[in-house]
Amino acid sequence: NAGVTQTPKFRVLKTGQSMTLLCAQDMNHEYMYWYRQDPGMGLRLIHYSVGEGTTAKGEVPDGYNVSRLKKQNFLLGLESAAPSQTSVYFCASSQGDRGSYEQYFGPGTRLTVT
Amino acid sequence: RKEVEQDPGPFNVPEGATVAFNCTYSNSASQSFFWYRQDCRKEPKLLMSVYSSGNEDGRFTAQLNRASQYISLLIRDSKLSDSATYLCVVNIPGGSYIPTFGRGTSLIVHP
């Protein structure tokens, strides 16, 4: 039981390049989330999903897209990376039911955009 | 005004001290409250949920004050290993209930 895994762990991109971050969970959770964390800031929600085939915008969605084609996977895409997207990205999952359940986090992806 | 606010600290305390953090939230319809712990460069992990009646887990006590819209975390007999950032999470009503994090409170426990 691996919990929540994220791929890759580190990445350096040049401005304008694109990439996809993969999040996978093996707990059969309904809800999945993508956050970014910047120094001195808490976690800010980018996008989330309440079930397979659904996605919704969070607090800071601009410049990102997501897809949830399979229940266990949640992909975060950057179409044209910008230096402002340099951050640590965390994926999380939870059982669901209106946010009353614990979130389980992946180990994070450290992204630098030069 | 940010929806969930915490004093960033750092709180610098000696081993054995008692320390308390507060976290205020702005939406009175918020449901489900949590404290998470985050170690440096690691992912957040659940420390404890916060129940209306208050709850205790060993040296840790969490309380909810709905009238004043804040949650608190009390740590007794601090250990060096308690040094971390403590994040409060409040589920804010929206289309669904959205977990919203505070910026975190840094705790440093020294010998």
Side-chain angles (χ1 to χ4, degrees):
Chain A
N1 189 338
V4 180
T5 57
Q6 291 184 233
T7 310
K9 289 187 169 52
F10 303 92
R11 185 74 186 267
V12 177
L13 286 180
K14 293 187 190 308
T15 298
Q17 288 184 318
S18 63
M19 78 165 294
T20 299
L21 282 67
L22 170 64
C23 176
Q25 52 95 3
D26 61 3
M27 297 173 281
N28 201 36
H29 284 169
E30 290 294 332
Y31 284 37
M32 295 187 76
Y33 311 83
W34 275 108
Y35 293 92
R36 62 177 288 172
Q37 187 173 35
D38 302 298
M41 308 285 288
L43 278 75
R44 292 184 292 169
L45 185 63
I46 304 171
H47 287 279
Y48 66 101
S49 168
V50 301
E52 181 179 312
T54 74
T55 63
K57 293 180 180 180
E59 181 186 355
V60 289
D62 294 342
Y64 305 95
N65 56 74
V66 287
S67 64
R68 183 105 181 262
L69 299 179
K70 292 183 178 180
K71 186 177 184 179
Q72 64 267 34
N73 295 338
F74 196 28
L75 277 62
L76 178 71
L78 285 72
E79 290 186 347
S80 179
S84 60
Q85 294 177 305
T86 293
S87 190
V88 180
Y89 291 85
F90 288 103
C91 174
S93 71
S94 70
Q95 201 167 330
D97 192 20
R98 294 154 60 88
S100 57
Y101 289 94
E102 171 186 2
Q103 289 180 294
Y104 293 82
F105 284 83
T109 295
R110 284 164 176 75
L111 175 66
T112 301
V113 183
T114 61
Chain B
R1 180 185 170 191
K2 201 162 162 46
E3 292 193 271
V4 179
E5 297 207 56
Q6 294 182 253
D7 180 346
F11 285 65
N12 210 317
V13 302
E15 271 186 293
T18 296
V19 63
F21 313 133
N22 282 346
C23 168
T24 59
Y25 59 95
S26 58
N27 191 321
S28 60
S30 298
Q31 302 281 339
S32 301
F33 307 86
F34 304 90
W35 284 102
Y36 281 74
R37 171 191 169 127
Q38 186 175 28
D39 294 300
C40 187
R41 300 179 70 79
K42 298 285 191 181
E43 71 272 25
K45 292 185 179 177
L46 181 71
L47 179 67
M48 57 199 304
S49 303
V50 186
Y51 303 123
S52 297
S53 55
N55 48 300
E56 189 174 308
D57 183 2
R59 298 181 293 109
F60 298 85
T61 300
Q63 302 229 312
L64 167 63
N65 185 319
R66 281 198 182 274
S68 300
Q69 294 182 204
Y70 73 87
I71 63 173
S72 63
L73 177 67
L74 180 78
I75 305 175
R76 290 181 297 278
D77 189 23
S78 297
K79 311 290 184 193
L80 296 176
S81 57
D82 293 334
S83 297
T85 297
Y86 292 84
L87 302 165
C88 74
V89 181
V90 175
N91 283 310
I92 311 280
S96 179
Y97 275 79
I98 307 302
T100 303
F101 283 75
R103 294 187 179 190
T105 296
S106 175
L107 173 65
I108 300 170
V109 181
H110 58 82

